Amino acid sequence: MAFTSESVEVFLAVLDTGSFSAAARALGRVPSAVSMAIAQLEAELDLPLFDRSGREPKPTDAARSLEPQARLLAAQLKALQVQALGLTQGLENRLTLAIAPELLSAPWSAALATLAQEHPLLEVEVLAAPQADALAMLHTGRAQLALVFERPSIDGREGFQEVASELLVAVIAPTHPVYVAAGSRLGEQHLVNTRQVVVAGRDLASRDPRFVFARHTWRSDNALAALSLITAGVGWGWLPRSFVQPHVATGALVEIVFDNLSNGLDLWVDVVWSRERPLGLGAQRFISLIQRADKRALKTKG
């Protein structure tokens, strides 16, 4: 077969440097070896790839026609080599990240973009799941990492790293009867006695008491669905400020102003893994990258 990983490397080196001698220096070879490799490739293809009539070889139309595919093949070979090296160093076949739906707008995708550049053949799966479900997937091995809010207690089976913080705010539609009747200023009794829309897991027993104030609740496992219900006037709810801000800006929602307490639950965001399974190279790198991104964000805010 004419094209091999070696012949592709030599062919592209001559195209990039403009001469056999410069290509030889770039590849750490002698010029005669490069010239011979190109001549052998031309013989096997039965195509002239370089015009040698001048001082330096000039690519023929055939060479320019083959160049895009040659570059694609070189990139694929490099990706394959990186993947093989990563596997020997503990890279996963697939990295699954489960994210609490309220955190889908958090800055996690940039870390995955960098990971994709470093390990282009690594399969990545991102799942949105309520916090309880995301942690359950972690413990069954369905996911290697979970991005969730800090838990009320520490589970010895879990390792975690704080990577960001989110401010949850209580929001309500400005047309909600309770909000209108109270003159846009509510008290604790209004929270307790007004229907609350809660983002929670599919297991009905899963509910975080830090977030549930009302006697009557509606549940959803999806933050967008909860947002839609609150905007429609079904009830009030806790959602990340970064998530609801565009809707507050348009007047579709309001952050509740209380008589007797402040509006805001400032919570850490953790990336969590199972201590019962070793972390792969991709998971370790993701944790490092998302930590670094948070430090840059804090420096910018400062």
Side-chain angles (χ1 to χ4, degrees):
M1 187 175 180
F3 276 111
T4 64
S5 59
E6 182 178 355
S7 61
V8 167
E9 182 182 37
V10 173
F11 174 58
L12 292 177
V14 176
L15 286 176
D16 291 339
T17 61
S19 73
F20 294 152
S21 57
R25 287 194 296 274
L27 297 173
R29 303 183 186 185
V30 295
S32 59
V34 171
S35 179
M36 186 179 301
I38 293 296
Q40 183 177 349
L41 181 60
E42 289 176 321
E44 292 180 1
L45 291 172
D46 194 22
L47 279 174
L49 298 177
F50 293 94
D51 179 358
R52 299 167 175 78
S53 61
R55 182 175 178 182
E56 300 293 352
K58 293 188 179 300
T60 64
D61 290 342
R64 291 302 184 193
S65 177
L66 292 170
E67 181 182 1
Q69 289 299 320
R71 293 197 183 279
L72 178 61
L73 179 57
Q76 290 174 333
L77 286 170
K78 183 177 180 181
L80 185 62
Q81 290 164 353
V82 169
Q83 181 77 355
L85 178 61
L87 290 172
T88 65
Q89 296 174 341
L91 183 69
E92 309 90 330
N93 292 322
R94 177 191 294 117
L95 174 62
T96 298
L97 172 64
I99 304 179
E102 303 97 315
L103 296 174
L104 287 173
S105 59
W108 50 267
S109 57
L112 287 183
T114 301
L115 193 62
Q117 292 176 347
E118 296 175 352
H119 300 284
L121 297 184
L122 173 66
E123 280 190 43
V124 174
E125 182 181 29
V126 178
L127 303 175
Q131 179 149 325
D133 296 357
L135 293 172
M137 284 193 284
L138 198 69
H139 294 298
T140 61
R142 178 64 182 86
Q144 288 77 51
L145 297 172
L147 192 67
V148 296
F149 290 110
E150 62 182 89
R151 281 80 64 229
S153 60
I154 294 178
D155 187 329
R157 300 173 299 166
E158 297 170 0
F160 69 94
Q161 175 63 54
E162 293 175 345
V163 294
S165 63
E166 278 282 352
L167 181 67
L168 298 185
V169 291
V171 291
I172 196 170
T175 55
H176 192 290
V178 171
Y179 184 78
V180 174
S184 74
R185 199 169 183 88
L186 307 184
E188 182 181 354
Q189 72 279 9
H190 295 107
L191 293 185
V192 174
N193 296 315
T194 304
R195 182 188 299 112
Q196 181 181 355
V197 179
V198 179
V199 180
R202 297 176 180 92
D203 180 358
L204 291 176
S206 68
R207 53 189 277 160
D208 192 329
R210 294 175 300 172
F211 305 140
V212 181
F213 286 32
R215 294 191 178 97
H216 182 200
T217 61
W218 280 20
R219 298 166 58 109
S220 174
D221 67 353
N222 186 293
L224 281 173
L227 175 68
S228 182
L229 290 170
I230 296 169
T231 305
V234 168
W236 69 276
W238 292 105
L239 289 172
R241 174 174 277 168
S242 59
F243 183 60
V244 300
Q245 195 279 328
H247 304 276
V248 172
T250 62
L253 291 175
V254 292
E255 291 187 18
I256 300 173
V257 177
F258 296 109
D259 280 329
N260 56 342
L261 70 160
S262 59
N263 183 354
L265 296 174
D266 201 359
L267 298 178
W268 282 105
V269 176
D270 295 340
V271 58
V272 186
W273 59 90
S274 171
R275 294 187 186 275
E276 297 173 348
R277 296 177 184 81
L279 272 181
L281 187 66
Q284 294 176 45
R285 182 60 174 147
F286 175 81
I287 294 168
S288 172
L289 289 167
I290 200 170
Q291 274 186 276
R292 189 181 306 168
D294 181 54
K295 287 178 181 176
R296 284 198 300 265
L298 289 175
K299 187 175 181 180
T300 301
K301 288 180 182 177

